[in-house]
Amino acid sequence: YSMEQVISKSRVLVVLGSSRDNSNTLKSVKKLCPFPDYDLVDLHSMRLNYYTYDRGGLEEDGFLEIAQKMLCSDVIIFATPIYRYAMSG
């Protein structure tokens, strides 16, 4: 396979970790991502709860949706801003 064939046939998921709408990280993904088509998960716009063993939390947020998208993807790109020389997280 050529690189062009791999790029055109891959199911790509971009997980955006910025805390701002229309962030520089999103602009960078749009400009630099080599894949023409990708599914974007914007963590800022999703409801994600803390998980606790006594109350769970998985049914109440977007975790399962993200996990399913990750399982169905050939390529996963984590795009996150850098704060004080470290990734957010």
Side-chain angles (χ1 to χ4, degrees), residues 1-70:
Y1 295 104
S2 70
M3 183 58 92
E4 290 80 22
Q5 289 173 320
V6 171
I7 287 175
S8 68
K9 294 183 184 213
S10 296
R11 292 172 298 200
V12 180
L13 177 66
V14 176
V15 180
L16 183 64
S18 180
S19 61
R20 295 185 303 134
D21 293 327
N22 199 26
S23 66
N24 290 333
T25 304
L26 177 59
K27 291 174 188 174
S28 297
V29 167
K30 290 179 177 180
K31 185 172 183 171
L32 300 173
C33 185
F35 299 94
D37 297 313
Y38 53 86
D39 191 12
L40 180 71
V41 171
D42 183 355
L43 298 179
H44 175 66
S45 67
M46 298 191 75
R47 181 179 174 177
L48 297 170
N49 297 325
Y50 293 101
Y51 181 84
T52 61
Y53 288 100
D54 59 338
R55 76 165 183 85
L58 296 177
E59 300 83 20
E60 302 167 8
D61 65 12
F63 172 78
L64 293 178
E65 176 187 348
I66 296 169
Q68 183 63 37
K69 287 181 178 185
M70 292 176 80

Side-chain angles (χ1 to χ4, degrees), residues 67-79:
Q68 183 63 37
K69 287 181 178 185
M70 292 176 80
L71 289 171
C72 293
S73 298
D74 299 315
V75 176
I76 301 172
I77 299 171
F78 292 94

